[in-house]
Amino acid sequence: MSDPHWEKAKDIFQAALEKPAGAERESFLDAACAGDAGLRGEVLGLLAAFDDAAGFLDEPPIAEVAETIAGRRESLRPGQSVGRYRIERKLGAGGVGEVFLARDTELERPVALKILAAEFSGHPDHVRRFLQEARAASALNHPNILTIYESGQFDTVRFIAAEYVEGETLRERLRRAPGINPDELLEIVAQTAAALGTAHRAGIVHRDIKPENIMIRADGLVKVLDFGLAKLVEKETPESRNIRKTDFRTTPGLVMGTVAYMSPEQARGLPADERADVWSLGVCLSEGVFGVQPFPGDTTSDQIAAILRSEPAPETKETRPELRRIIGKCLEKKAADRYPTIDDFLREINEFRQENDLSAAGGAFFPAARAISGAAPPIAAPPVVSSAEYIVRGLKKHKFFALAAALAAAALGLLLYFAVFHPFPSAAPIRSIAVLPFVNVGGDADVEYLSDGLSESLINKLSRLSELRVASRSSAFQYRNSTAPASEIARALGVEAVVSGRVARRGDELQISVEMIDAADNTQLWGETYRRKFSDAQTVQEEIAQNILRKLRLTPSETQARSFNSPITDNAQAYQLYLNGVFYRRKNGPENVRKAVEYQNQAIALDPAFALAYAELGYDYYIFVGVGAVDSRTGLPPARQAIEKALSLNDALAEAHDINARLKTADFDWPGAETEIRRAVELNPNLASAHTFYSELLTETGRFDEALAEIEKARELDPLRINLVNYEAEILFRARRYDDAQATFESGNPEAVGETFALISRARVAAARNRYPEALALVRKSLDKDVTTKGLVHLGRLYALTGDRAAALAVRERLKKIDLYVSPAELAILDAALGMREPAFANLERAFAERDLLLPLINVEPEYDTLRDDPRFADLLRRINLKNPAR
Amino acid sequence: MLRGLGADTSRDALDALLPLVYDELHRQARRYLRGERRNHTLQTTALINEAYLRLIGQKSIDWRNRAHFFALAASMMRRILVDYAKTRHRLKRGGVEEELPLDDALTVAAEMTDEAVRVDLIALDGALDKLAAKDERLARIVELRYFSGLTVEETAEVLKISTMTVKRDWNVAKAWLHKEIKNEKSQKPGS
């Protein structure tokens, strides 16, 4: 190909490279070039350049333009306007543009607004394709075809405004129920055929009819999407991810076009006419009737082979011979043997329906579909799919015509092409996730505990995987009913993916739709709709968890896998009761906690091996003590009993160890408590509450720096739990770092530092900094919000310190009469401020006797400082196994 | 309407894939900026092998030879990336630097310090044209290795030459291109 001189130079260059630089290389060159000075010079020049080129071309070329590419997107933000369309949110992004949900401010209706990316608006080719798409689709006017409202340009922005449709695709419908009702299926097929008939008469062949492109609105109206596009291959869409599980198995992460619905002529790369659509719709019908694809295959090439050569897969279900005949006629390999037009097919379908009384003229399933104007009540929540998604996919393919011939090649091309350019999911695995509270669609209060509970169980379950960081419940649940895009939520929570779901109940039936969104680009990683008996909520939860695990390609250790795989309970009813219990415990207040206890006891009665219910029960009892509903001597023994039982059933239950640690501190067993809490954190690194409690434990034992570090961990898991700032400030306060505590409060979220107890803490910090008027104002503000015994104690103390002894004593009297449990340890604070040492020590003794949960804090709280020199104080600390930390 | 049936179906396939490629590039770019950039190559090539093996078993598909496909893919990739580089160049000259999210910008700043390994894609593009005139195969190897990210072994297989030759040619090509780009720059300072 090139001159011998150059070939020789290359050989010598390579050989010389293998010699060490210096004399040896020189002599080699002398010999090799044999007096040819030109050759020697050329090789030397290459060698010098080679040394100079170290690192050259080592980085992928994307390194050079990454910022240019990455910086080009997201041109429009919510609130911005394109002409009369106001952007509401981004629905998706494709190769050359983005799709937004927008509001037509003139006609006051939502539209799917597709925008051609700015960098392409200068390319005549892209612009032409963009407009062509709009033209092709808008040429067709039929109720079953997605409507294009307008295409145009505003400033430099090119856009297409299309009907915004919410509904579910036939794919989802097929997946949802165990076998679609023939009546329902034939109605959908008939509407699709009607749409295709209109298109064919206009000379447009769809060429990509498949369940993903057939959308069913909540009222039953079918919308055929992607019209006029020669559908080639597609990006990994939600549907493709789900339906091509077989492909995933053989070639992980590889994405390819759907060939399953492709006609033999398309697979051969031959021209395709309307009979190709007949074939594809026939495949859809066959799949709906028999529940399996007629031409299955593990890989694309296997599928193509089946389409070209095999008979349809043996039928798995009995069906009427007439319907079988219709399907068979659609699936003739030779186009000439099929129905000559889609109308012929539709006629036979309708005849079949009439003959079989399948309501060809008014189905029970879609009463509203025929009276399009009458908006029917949604059967259940339509899964979050919209027409826009299909437009997004439209963005990703731009050959409209003349490509049928290339279809087969293209499918294979994609196979190779993606192999080159598509990084697999495993290339950047998702290792942090947030589960948002599932939406209770009907608003049915009786289902509320279930929608919350399902998400919470998922959080609980996923949290057991140490490889995965799971945003804690309290942070994730702030996004209840949020309409913010996943990327935004994920950013706030510091995670890479977001799981959301919708729960609807109709009688005894439960429909749960779940999806997982990649926050990087708001694409769906996984989505599924489950329709089950109400009582099967537990198994659905397990299924969802397993699916997420699979989708994330996590490989938990054996111990973790065991913990993950072990169901929360086998008893569906017990699970419901457990969820109810958790729901009430969350609601706080002694009455609700009492209900929670009842529910957990009932759950345990049904499943005596229900470890998590025992752990919850233990927690409920502990909370009784914590909120002062009962004293420790009454409340802690049943808590202890429940936790012991939970641990005997499942020693790997982080929640049980967490509570057990708390119970051990109540017994002043500090090393025991620390062992337990460390075990809890080890078993479930994502348990934010355990980190918070660990920090309390460390504070009580005077290890303030470690305590601050634990709070930091809790904050990472729970970034939106704004009141963690209060915990931090309180630790600083106990460490006598008053100015730091003050600064921390000042940096906090106003809402957080304005909470009842935060106000008291701020008052204490102010007092420690000798700012009494400010302290008094803060504590009064706290009492205005809610009268707490702690607030009163510190109000009294501040009166005492500012010389208003009478007022202080009055507060003390009030505390004696108050109808709330008053911690004797806290009462001692007021006594100490009043100089009443004997009552102070009497109260501390009582605190010891009652196992007052606040007693350990005397070790570190500054307010006890005036008592510390008394030998009785040191004795008390010794008895609770603490010593006054040196400072 | 089905004009060009005789046209190169591979190229049609690639053209149809263009939007996907842009989409994919965008993802890769963001990944790169986040610092996750290694390890793509190995896995992708393993898959190319598998995919190809499956494909050649499919007699009924009129699929051109593998080298042809990869060559097309690589030159297309080159064109796209160089276009991006040109866009950036234009934007910079026009004073409209693309706005980057702060964290990305910081990453970029950190990545971009080592001038020695920076590649001016526009200059590389020009030099590659010259190299192709001199030695077509070397230019093709650079496209496959650099723009398509194939390994030495993959490249050898695609071009039906030995790995030894690929290694040698790759070294020669790198040296030659580096020298060429340097020469060009010194002749036209400030470009």
Side-chain angles (χ1 to χ4, degrees):
Chain A
M1 74 171 65
S2 58
D3 63 290
H5 177 82
W6 171 241
E7 288 301 316
K8 199 168 176 189
K10 288 197 285 185
D11 282 336
I12 298 172
F13 163 77
Q14 182 61 30
L17 267 189
E18 284 157 17
K19 312 273 179 239
E24 194 178 332
R25 191 182 278 182
E26 291 292 318
S27 56
F28 167 78
L29 282 178
D30 288 343
C33 298
D36 185 339
L39 182 61
R40 194 172 194 279
E42 182 149 25
V43 174
L44 275 177
L46 284 174
L47 285 169
F50 185 80
D51 287 341
D52 209 18
F56 179 62
L57 302 188
D58 279 358
E59 288 286 301
I62 195 138
E64 299 305 318
V65 285
E67 80 275 35
T68 312
I69 300 172
R72 308 199 68 74
R73 300 302 178 88
E74 305 214 28
S75 44
L76 292 170
R77 302 198 173 279
Q80 274 186 283
S81 288
V82 178
R84 63 179 211 244
Y85 302 105
R86 200 183 55 242
I87 303 295
E88 292 196 354
R89 66 186 159 92
K90 187 163 146 183
L91 294 166
V96 295
E98 298 168 275
V99 176
F100 297 89
L101 170 61
R103 184 120 202 118
D104 181 338
T105 53
E106 257 175 55
L107 298 176
E108 277 302 320
R109 65 180 174 187
V111 299
L113 196 68
K114 176 174 152 185
I115 306 281
L116 182 66
E119 72 260 40
F120 296 118
S121 53
H123 286 237
D125 266 9
H126 284 293
V127 173
R128 185 177 46 78
R129 287 167 177 173
F130 190 75
L131 294 178
Q132 209 164 8
E133 177 184 352
R135 265 184 231 127
S138 61
L140 301 167
N141 185 8
H142 190 272
N144 293 122
I145 296 172
L146 187 77
T147 311
I148 303 286
Y149 294 142
E150 184 193 10
S151 81
Q153 187 168 0
F154 187 80
D155 287 341
T156 56
V157 181
R158 289 204 174 265
F159 65 88
I160 295 174
E163 182 186 5
Y164 179 69
V165 179
E166 271 200 7
E168 67 179 329
T169 63
L170 177 57
R171 164 67 56 222
E172 289 165 325
R173 180 63 195 89
L174 289 177
R175 209 188 294 125
R176 197 179 65 193
I180 187 170
N181 182 306
D183 189 4
E184 192 181 353
L185 176 68
L186 290 174
E187 171 65 33
I188 294 166
V189 167
Q191 288 190 46
T192 308
L196 288 172
T198 302
H200 293 169
R201 281 188 292 277
I204 295 172
V205 182
H206 191 291
R207 293 190 195 85
D208 192 25
I209 286 296
K210 57 183 179 182
E212 288 76 16
N213 280 340
I214 299 170
M215 186 181 251
I216 309 143
R217 242 167 44 174
D219 61 7
L221 184 72
V222 167
K223 290 276 178 184
V224 178
L225 307 164
D226 271 2
F227 236 94
L229 308 186
K231 175 86 167 181
L232 291 172
V233 282
E234 61 182 29
K235 185 183 175 299
E236 193 176 8
T237 63
E239 295 73 30
S240 68
R241 284 173 218 261
N242 290 321
I243 60 168
R244 273 178 246 124
K245 284 187 176 128
T246 50
D247 294 337
F248 263 116
R249 198 184 64 235
T250 48
T251 47
L254 200 60
V255 185
M256 58 198 83
T258 311
V259 296
Y261 304 87
M262 193 187 272
S263 64
E265 58 269 28
Q266 287 172 296
R268 285 209 163 88
L270 298 171
D273 60 18
E274 59 197 272
R275 290 167 299 181
D277 287 348
V278 171
W279 166 284
S280 302
L281 191 53
V283 177
C284 297
L285 177 59
S286 174
E287 188 179 354
V289 169
F290 299 113
V292 291
Q293 289 181 351
F295 305 104
D298 279 350
T299 65
T300 302
S301 42
D302 290 350
Q303 284 183 339
I304 291 175
I307 289 166
L308 293 178
R309 288 193 284 269
S310 308
E311 286 305 305
E315 290 144 9
T316 50
K317 275 189 209 153
E318 275 296 303
T319 191
R320 305 205 187 228
E322 179 63 10
L323 187 54
R324 193 173 306 169
R325 190 193 61 78
I326 294 175
I327 292 170
K329 190 153 185 189
C330 292
L331 300 184
E332 288 290 347
K333 303 278 185 221
K334 282 190 202 151
D337 295 337
R338 291 176 217 147
Y339 291 101
T341 69
I342 196 91
D343 291 333
D344 295 318
F345 165 75
L346 178 59
R347 199 174 311 115
E348 289 214 3
I349 284 287
N350 281 335
E351 275 166 22
F352 172 76
R353 293 166 81 197
Q354 265 157 15
E355 278 160 25
N356 291 278
D357 199 20
L358 283 176
S359 57
F365 273 84
F366 299 101
R370 284 181 184 74
I372 290 161
S373 51
I379 300 162
V384 191
V385 177
S386 70
S387 57
E389 208 171 275
Y390 300 90
I391 303 181
V392 172
R393 278 190 286 135
L395 283 167
K396 291 166 186 160
K397 47 195 152 54
H398 270 272
K399 280 286 201 182
F400 299 107
F401 304 109
L403 275 172
L407 260 174
L412 302 172
L414 181 62
L415 188 75
L416 287 181
Y417 211 82
F418 257 100
V420 180
F421 298 114
H422 191 270
F424 317 125
S426 57
I430 283 170
R431 288 297 172 262
S432 55
I433 197 170
V435 181
L436 304 186
F438 285 13
V439 177
N440 171 14
V441 172
D444 183 350
D446 289 346
V447 185
E448 186 90 20
Y449 79 93
L450 186 68
S451 52
D452 274 11
L454 280 170
S455 14
E456 188 157 359
S457 302
L458 269 180
I459 293 174
N460 171 298
K461 198 136 198 162
L462 293 168
S463 294
R464 299 177 194 176
L465 304 165
S466 61
E467 272 183 80
L468 190 66
R469 195 165 56 73
V470 184
S472 84
R473 178 197 177 278
S474 55
S475 280
F477 270 47
Q478 297 195 19
Y479 287 95
R480 188 186 291 282
N481 298 328
S482 166
T483 54
S487 54
E488 199 176 290
I489 296 174
R491 206 175 311 124
L493 295 171
V495 296
E496 295 155 305
V498 171
V499 174
S500 60
R502 300 161 72 90
V503 181
R505 178 185 187 172
R506 229 179 16 148
D508 190 38
E509 196 182 79
L510 199 60
Q511 184 183 311
I512 302 170
S513 310
V514 194
E515 62 173 0
M516 179 158 66
I517 304 289
D518 184 344
D521 50 10
N522 278 330
T523 54
Q524 193 183 24
L525 290 167
W526 167 74
E528 200 148 346
T529 299
Y530 305 83
R531 190 177 264 191
R532 297 295 156 78
K533 280 231 159 25
F534 188 72
S535 51
D536 287 344
Q538 151 71 6
T539 52
V540 176
Q541 182 269 126
E542 301 286 342
E543 261 178 72
I544 296 171
Q546 293 292 350
N547 274 327
I548 292 175
L549 180 73
R550 257 197 301 280
K551 273 293 150 189
L552 295 178
R553 293 157 194 274
L554 283 165
T555 44
S557 70
E558 205 180 309
T559 327
Q560 284 185 0
R562 212 179 308 125
S563 157
F564 187 83
N565 292 331
S566 66
I568 291 177
T569 170
D570 294 327
N571 187 307
Q573 210 183 335
Y575 180 68
Q576 302 272 356
L577 291 163
Y578 160 80
L579 290 184
N580 265 300
V582 173
F583 181 73
Y584 278 105
R585 191 256 294 161
R586 294 268 181 216
K587 287 182 102 155
N588 278 330
E591 264 327 293
N592 287 320
V593 181
R594 232 178 283 282
K595 271 192 197 149
V597 167
E598 268 168 46
Y599 276 115
Q600 299 307 351
N601 276 324
Q602 288 173 30
I604 289 163
L606 288 175
D607 177 6
F610 196 166
L612 198 56
Y614 275 110
E616 268 291 322
L617 185 63
Y619 194 23
D620 293 339
Y621 283 126
Y622 177 78
I623 289 173
F624 271 143
V625 180
V627 299
V630 294
D631 69 31
S632 297
R633 280 171 305 185
T634 321
L636 291 184
R640 225 167 261 135
Q641 224 177 334
I643 292 299
E644 272 166 26
K645 183 74 187 170
L647 288 172
S648 75
L649 288 166
N650 181 0
D651 186 50
L653 203 58
E655 290 83 352
H657 286 286
D658 180 8
I659 310 301
N660 203 23
R662 293 163 203 246
L663 295 173
K664 284 195 184 293
T665 61
D667 282 341
F668 312 122
D669 176 3
W670 306 103
E674 190 165 355
T675 308
E676 281 299 282
I677 199 69
R678 291 181 84 117
R679 183 84 207 280
V681 172
E682 181 188 293
L683 286 167
N684 183 346
N686 290 307
L687 202 61
S689 65
H691 289 287
T692 317
F693 177 71
Y694 194 15
S695 114
E696 280 175 38
L697 173 65
L698 291 165
T699 304
E700 284 165 350
T701 50
R703 289 149 67 186
F704 302 117
D705 289 342
E706 291 168 74
L708 288 169
E710 283 303 316
I711 280 295
E712 198 44 49
K713 280 183 203 162
R715 210 202 307 260
E716 274 166 29
L717 290 167
D718 218 348
L720 297 184
R721 194 162 154 216
I722 50 176
N723 65 1
L724 285 174
V725 73
N726 300 333
Y727 285 73
E728 185 185 337
E730 281 161 19
I731 295 168
L732 292 166
F733 170 67
R734 284 155 189 160
R736 270 70 173 167
R737 290 165 60 182
Y738 304 130
D739 290 346
D740 291 342
Q742 174 66 21
T744 302
F745 274 130
E746 279 169 11
S747 73
N749 179 303
E751 201 185 321
V753 300
E755 286 175 357
T756 309
F757 286 98
L759 286 166
I760 300 172
S761 296
R762 285 165 65 192
R764 294 166 72 188
V765 170
R769 300 170 80 229
N770 301 318
R771 296 171 191 212
Y772 295 110
E774 187 189 330
L776 265 172
L778 284 164
V779 84
R780 284 194 180 116
K781 207 167 152 192
S782 168
L783 288 165
D784 281 347
K785 284 175 102 78
D786 191 9
V787 177
T788 57
T789 57
K790 189 185 214 87
L792 288 172
V793 162
H794 286 280
L795 177 71
R797 176 172 185 264
L798 285 170
Y799 283 142
L801 293 181
T802 51
D804 195 344
R805 192 171 174 84
L809 286 169
V811 172
R812 192 168 181 271
E813 283 311 304
R814 190 175 163 195
L815 277 164
K816 277 186 186 165
K817 287 184 211 132
I818 204 160
D819 191 23
L820 288 167
Y821 176 80
V822 187
S823 151
E826 280 196 334
L827 269 181
I829 288 177
L830 180 50
D831 293 343
L834 282 161
M836 299 159 71
R837 283 177 90 85
E838 293 314 308
F841 276 104
N843 269 324
L844 287 178
E845 276 306 321
R846 193 155 65 83
F848 179 76
E850 288 177 7
R851 293 291 186 270
D852 181 351
L853 290 179
L854 296 180
L855 182 59
L857 281 173
I858 67 167
N859 194 31
V860 288
E861 299 274 42
E863 284 94 346
Y864 297 100
D865 282 358
T866 55
L867 302 176
R868 287 184 199 282
D869 55 359
D870 197 297
R872 284 172 293 181
F873 198 86
D875 178 59
L876 187 58
L877 283 177
R878 190 184 45 71
R879 278 185 282 153
I880 61 173
N881 303 318
L882 287 171
K883 359 182 237 293
N884 204 347
R887 59 174 52 91
Chain B
M1 69 196 282
L2 291 170
R3 56 169 174 78
L5 249 189
D8 186 343
T9 49
S10 303
R11 190 177 289 281
D12 267 359
L14 288 178
D15 272 3
L17 288 163
L18 209 57
L20 293 175
V21 173
Y22 281 111
D23 198 33
E24 186 47 41
L25 271 176
H26 185 246
R27 286 160 65 99
Q28 284 195 2
R30 294 206 75 86
R31 289 216 167 101
Y32 177 83
L33 292 172
R34 287 205 304 259
E36 309 160 18
R37 47 217 182 92
R38 284 281 153 210
N39 264 339
H40 288 180
T41 319
L42 254 177
Q43 291 165 320
T44 37
T45 46
L47 261 163
I48 291 170
N49 270 335
E50 192 190 343
Y52 187 72
L53 289 175
R54 282 168 194 283
L55 284 175
I56 52 175
Q58 192 62 51
K59 298 278 191 299
S60 57
I61 307 288
D62 173 28
W63 185 247
R64 300 295 188 87
N65 66 59
R66 170 181 211 182
H68 186 54
F69 175 78
F70 277 110
L72 280 174
S75 65
M76 174 172 153
M77 208 58 226
R78 169 180 165 190
R79 197 181 77 227
I80 292 169
L81 288 165
V82 170
D83 275 353
Y84 270 122
K86 285 178 180 163
T87 307
R88 182 180 63 175
H89 191 62
R90 221 175 28 243
L91 290 171
K92 275 190 178 158
R93 283 163 73 107
V96 195
E97 183 59 305
E98 282 290 300
E99 202 178 305
L100 270 184
L102 186 60
D103 53 343
D104 284 357
L106 289 175
T107 325
V108 174
E111 301 287 348
M112 293 298 166
T113 46
D114 192 357
E115 272 302 315
V117 300
R118 290 230 34 192
V119 179
D120 179 341
L121 290 182
I122 303 170
L124 178 66
D125 188 47
L128 212 46
D129 281 345
K130 284 190 192 166
L131 181 60
K134 184 180 178 65
D135 191 332
E136 168 77 30
R137 191 175 68 199
L138 291 198
R140 188 168 285 193
I141 287 173
V142 173
E143 283 187 341
L144 289 168
R145 294 271 288 122
Y146 183 64
F147 288 104
S148 258
L150 300 197
T151 63
V152 168
E153 289 71 21
E154 281 289 332
T155 309
E157 217 185 310
V158 167
L159 295 180
K160 301 201 167 51
I161 53 178
S162 73
T163 55
M164 282 285 287
T165 306
V166 174
K167 280 183 197 157
R168 183 199 69 176
D169 284 3
W170 175 239
N171 284 338
V172 175
K174 276 208 296 190
W176 194 91
L177 289 168
H178 196 258
K179 195 168 79 170
E180 177 63 26
I181 292 170
K182 223 170 138 184
N183 287 346
E184 280 291 312
K185 293 239 151 136
S186 61
Q187 279 164 28
K188 286 191 284 178
S191 77

